[in-house]
Amino acid sequence: MKYLKNKLLPILFLALVAGSTGCKKYIEETNLGAATDQLYYVTKQGFEDLSRSNYPNLRYIASMSNLYNLGTDTYSSLQTTDVNALNMYNVSLNSSLADVDNLWKQLYYTIGGNNTTLYWATQVQNMDAATLNARIGEAKAMRAYCYYLLAETFGDVPLVLTRTVDVNTSFSRTPESEVYTQIIKDLNEAIATLPVVTTDFGRITRGFAQHLLAKVYLTRGYKTYGQGVADFNQAASIADALINSGTYSLRPTFASMFDPSVSNFQVNSEVIFSVQYSTNVASNQVYFLGKAGLPSVAGGTIAAGTAAVGNALQQYFLWDTSVIQPIGRSVLYNRPATAHASVPDPYFFSLFDKARDSRYQATVWTALIAQTAGSANGKNFVAGDTVVYYPDVAFTTAQKAARKYYVFNPGEYRTTPFSGNTRTFPLFKKFRDPNAAFADNGGTRDTYIFRLGETYLLAAEAYLQAGNLPKALQFFNAIRTRAAKTGTNPASGLSYAAEMQVIGLSLDDILDERARELSGEEFRWYELKRTGKLISRVLTYNDEAKASNTLKSFHLLRPIPQSQIDLNSGAAFPQNPGY
């Protein structure tokens, strides 16, 4: 059920720092229909198309798994001979890194689209007030989201709040504290105008702005310019109110939000906002800077502008099982996205109480099954046989020898006999997509951005930081109750849900719970940064980063893309310290 149509702007607008596309002058388009923005965007249809065109930009932003997960405590690189700058924090993590350059450009392009929408909202004719106010709220909320990511990634960034119509090469970096003030202003204004619900599923609603505002106050509460406990109390109050608004509710089971065999599983009571894709593959193009196609990346083999149709989420957090003959090119296990090298590390798997927590089996495959007859490990298999197995409790050498299939114990997730210097580990099944072929992209699943499960954990963290442990435990234990396996533990006579409850809570506990509940959904790097735990947890749990031992405090910001510094010739635009 996808109602949100994807249309590009009839006339492309200019993003921040026009030179983000150099001298190619991509805005000089042939206009065969003789339409202009002055004629089209003042009409109801034109303005609706303009507003709608902002949403596809989020597809690329949501897909940057490496930037959000590498170099964290729970994710590392697929390769054990690791040289990835984002994971190792080495000298290659610099201002020329393609990922940070592309994120900057796409975020400002999206901001530019929303600024343009807000301008034409003052000019459009014959729009009913409720719809117009909703579109204004959507634009302000999306702009706030982009600025939140920019500020958390780069610190001080240019704050552009008006439509860009001319080339400007004279921007200054606005203090991060002022950017946060604007984010909060945008979100409060959006909350005042956005509808609580919409029949046009996929649009931003009031819950998006409330959820993000809770996270923004929570994040600011940790900062030197923040208001500490006052911000934490604000975050707690907003999250609490959203949870108890009756608009959303936790799904009865964790697995039901991710199991494609459940009818209409992605349109459910827990989803606050998701980036949309459709079973109509033609509408699933991925856009970068307003054009269908991928950007060029350093060292990549894909040419800039290469079309990408469909989500690639089902390709994340995998290793290549196709080299095992009985498994082959299985749609069930899918093809790993080699461009997205972030994969769960051994610490991630150690976080689950596999006897009590249902989320482990809902998240990963613990057994890989033969899809056809073939040989592996010197043995013959038929379809349906187990080929690879990951036991919850380590097998002894004798137990391993008694099985014809491969067995990898929890301590053996770092190497593999299958494909060189890559890891082997339980594959993610959380994002499996039966509609996607064994190929790049092609997925039809939505990408969850905000859901109520995270709102509960935001509330728990905010109440904890505000000194209200009983309220923090209330929301934290609600998530653990839902996560518990059904039934009673025969060893104790207690329900698994009862055994999942905790009576004490720390920031580390919340980060561990986020890893279990929001694996592959949250942008992990930002969560560690917010809580002040990035350096300590990465150097404790990420073996590759620990071995490199080059992670420093300046890495709490990413480098400003050199392309933007070079193009900003009309004003001083300093690089972040350390780069």
Side-chain angles (χ1 to χ4, degrees):
M1 278 178 75
K2 302 293 187 297
Y3 305 113
L4 187 61
K5 306 298 182 185
N6 301 313
K7 296 183 180 179
L8 280 175
L9 294 178
I11 302 170
L12 293 175
F13 51 80
L14 190 62
L16 173 67
V17 186
S20 63
T21 53
C23 298
K24 295 180 182 178
K25 298 183 179 179
Y26 74 97
I27 61 169
E28 296 181 5
E29 302 267 325
T30 301
N31 188 359
L32 300 179
T36 65
D37 52 356
Q38 291 89 350
L39 293 176
Y40 191 59
Y41 292 158
V42 295
T43 69
K44 180 177 181 180
Q45 181 63 54
F47 182 76
E48 287 283 46
D49 284 346
L50 172 61
S51 175
R52 192 178 293 116
S53 71
N54 294 318
Y55 284 87
N57 297 323
L58 296 175
R59 288 177 174 171
Y60 183 75
I61 293 168
S63 73
M64 301 188 73
S65 174
N66 287 351
L67 197 57
Y68 306 145
N69 292 309
L70 281 175
T72 65
D73 54 345
T74 51
Y75 297 91
S76 190
S77 294
L78 178 62
Q79 297 288 331
T80 57
T81 52
D82 192 9
V83 294
N84 192 297
L86 291 169
N87 198 50
M88 303 290 282
Y89 296 94
N90 58 24
V91 293
S92 296
L93 178 51
N94 57 45
S95 60
S96 298
L97 196 67
D99 278 327
V100 294
D101 187 64
N102 291 334
L103 179 67
W104 175 287
K105 290 175 180 176
Q106 186 74 349
L107 286 172
Y108 272 114
Y109 185 86
T110 305
I111 288 168
N114 285 287
N115 285 343
T116 299
T117 301
L118 291 169
Y119 170 79
W120 287 107
T122 67
Q123 307 295 316
V124 65
Q125 302 168 10
N126 303 316
M127 285 281 288
D128 65 277
T131 301
L132 179 60
N133 286 335
R135 301 297 174 258
I136 291 171
E138 291 170 33
K140 288 183 177 179
M142 194 183 299
R143 181 171 72 180
Y145 180 58
C146 291
Y147 272 121
Y148 171 74
L149 293 177
L150 280 165
E152 285 305 291
T153 306
F154 301 106
D156 301 345
V157 293
L159 185 61
V160 183
L161 302 174
T162 57
R163 179 177 65 138
T164 302
V165 293
D166 297 309
V167 173
N168 187 346
T169 59
S170 183
F171 287 96
S172 299
R173 297 181 64 180
T174 302
E176 183 184 308
S177 60
E178 295 179 25
V179 177
Y180 258 76
T181 299
Q182 181 62 44
I183 291 169
I184 291 169
K185 180 177 184 291
D186 272 350
L187 291 174
N188 278 317
E189 291 175 357
I191 288 168
T193 62
L194 284 168
V196 175
V197 295
T198 177
T199 56
D200 201 5
F201 185 79
R203 283 194 180 276
I204 287 172
T205 58
R206 187 178 301 171
F208 175 105
Q210 290 170 311
H211 179 100
L212 179 56
L213 185 58
K215 178 173 274 193
V216 166
Y217 273 120
L218 178 60
T219 305
R220 194 178 74 167
Y222 290 96
K223 296 180 181 292
T224 56
Y225 59 79
Q227 297 179 22
V229 172
D231 279 342
F232 294 136
N233 276 321
Q234 278 274 47
S237 177
I238 295 166
D240 196 330
L242 180 57
I243 290 165
N244 288 295
S245 67
T247 307
Y248 307 96
S249 60
L250 293 179
R251 293 288 295 156
T253 65
F254 176 84
S256 65
M257 291 181 290
F258 304 97
D259 185 353
S261 69
V262 175
S263 178
N264 211 23
F265 70 106
Q266 297 183 109
V267 182
N268 64 67
S269 63
E270 190 162 335
V271 175
I272 296 172
F273 181 75
S274 54
V275 172
Q276 299 289 288
Y277 289 84
S278 172
T279 53
N280 176 12
V281 176
S283 69
N284 282 344
Q285 287 181 314
V286 179
Y287 296 93
F288 180 69
L289 302 185
K291 290 189 174 182
L294 300 173
S296 60
V297 294
T301 58
I302 299 176
T306 299
V309 180
N311 205 343
L313 184 62
Q314 77 282 354
Q315 296 181 253
Y316 297 174
F317 317 118
L318 307 177
W319 56 273
D320 187 6
T321 61
S322 69
V323 297
I324 306 174
Q325 185 182 359
I327 295 177
R329 296 191 167 195
S330 166
V331 171
L332 183 62
Y333 302 126
N334 217 278
R335 174 180 179 170
T338 55
H340 295 272
S342 57
V343 299
D345 61 16
Y347 177 66
F348 170 80
F349 296 101
S350 74
L351 289 173
F352 290 87
D353 180 348
K354 300 176 179 68
R356 297 174 179 85
D357 194 332
S358 69
R359 292 173 296 192
Y360 186 66
Q361 290 292 336
T363 301
V364 301
W365 299 105
T366 56
L368 304 180
I369 308 301
Q371 306 298 296
T372 61
S375 62
N377 200 25
K379 307 290 194 308
N380 294 322
F381 295 83
V382 298
D385 285 349
T386 296
V387 182
V388 180
Y389 183 59
Y390 300 93
D392 294 344
V393 179
F395 276 23
T396 65
T397 302
Q399 287 174 319
K400 279 189 175 185
R403 272 69 172 180
K404 74 173 184 177
Y405 48 79
Y406 293 98
V407 175
F408 295 100
N409 287 330
E412 300 172 332
Y413 293 171
R414 296 186 57 77
T415 58
T416 173
F418 306 128
S419 53
N421 295 319
T422 58
R423 304 173 185 276
T424 183
F425 49 85
L427 300 173
F428 260 49
K429 71 175 179 181
K430 186 177 180 181
F431 306 121
R432 63 195 183 280
D433 190 341
N435 296 316
F438 186 90
D440 289 330
N441 303 298
T444 60
R445 289 185 59 151
D446 299 340
T447 299
Y448 295 154
I449 301 298
F450 299 146
R451 61 177 174 87
L452 197 66
E454 185 187 25
T455 317
Y456 272 78
L457 293 176
L458 293 176
E461 183 181 336
Y463 276 121
L464 177 67
Q465 294 304 93
N468 192 337
L469 179 61
K471 288 288 285 185
L473 286 170
Q474 172 190 331
F475 290 105
F476 187 82
N477 280 328
I479 291 298
R480 291 182 64 79
T481 297
R482 196 267 297 275
K485 292 181 179 179
T486 58
T488 300
N489 185 345
S492 66
L494 299 174
S495 69
Y496 291 117
E499 292 186 339
M500 286 279 284
Q501 305 303 288
V502 301
I503 59 174
L505 198 58
S506 68
L507 274 180
D508 286 311
D509 294 331
I510 289 174
L511 287 169
D512 289 347
E513 193 67 20
R514 289 187 65 95
R516 292 182 285 261
E517 176 71 20
L518 300 166
S519 56
E521 299 174 69
E522 67 172 357
F523 294 174
R524 185 68 176 179
W525 189 88
Y526 296 103
E527 306 307 320
L528 297 180
K529 176 190 172 180
R530 178 183 72 246
T531 54
K533 296 284 188 175
L534 179 69
I535 294 174
S536 61
R537 287 180 68 105
V538 169
L539 293 181
T540 300
Y541 301 120
N542 183 313
D543 291 330
E544 282 66 44
K546 180 166 57 176
S548 176
N549 196 29
T550 51
L551 173 57
K552 306 297 181 185
S553 60
F554 74 82
H555 289 118
L556 294 172
L557 293 176
R558 305 297 199 185
I560 301 295
Q562 191 63 42
S563 65
Q564 302 306 305
I565 294 175
D566 293 343
L567 290 163
N568 202 67
S569 58
F573 206 85
Q575 179 58 269
N576 281 330
Y579 294 105

